[in-house]
Amino acid sequence: MAPPGYLLFLLLLPVAASQTSSSAGSCSGCGPLSLPLLAGLVAADAVMSLLIVGVVFVCMRPHSRPAQEDGRVYINMPGRG
């Protein structure tokens, strides 16, 4: 038995296919993107990618923890007991 998500996908697949074939020719007045708009989109994509990489880098770096003092007494270690 297939999971319900697959069943819903299979039922909606013909509807999506019929919508995409008819909408391909219905774009009247759609022209190519202007060069400044395209450059802006590429620059925004680069900035967002760098921001995501920076956040992941900051979140994944190892955190330095201060040394925890245990209650043990060491004989040959001055300052520890």
Side-chain angles (χ1 to χ4, degrees):
M1 181 102 183
Y6 290 120
L7 211 50
L8 180 65
F9 175 72
L10 289 176
L11 289 174
L12 293 178
L13 189 61
V15 175
S18 68
Q19 293 294 325
T20 57
S21 63
S22 66
S23 66
S26 67
C27 183
S28 60
C30 297
L33 295 175
S34 65
L35 188 60
L37 179 64
L38 188 61
L41 288 173
V42 170
D45 182 47
V47 168
M48 286 302 295
S49 297
L50 288 175
L51 183 67
I52 291 170
V53 167
V55 168
V56 168
F57 178 75
V58 168
C59 290
M60 294 305 295
R61 70 179 176 185
H63 299 287
S64 61
R65 296 182 187 151
Q68 294 180 351
E69 292 289 328
D70 54 5
R72 298 182 187 162
V73 176
Y74 294 94
I75 296 172
N76 294 327
M77 292 184 70
R80 295 283 312 257

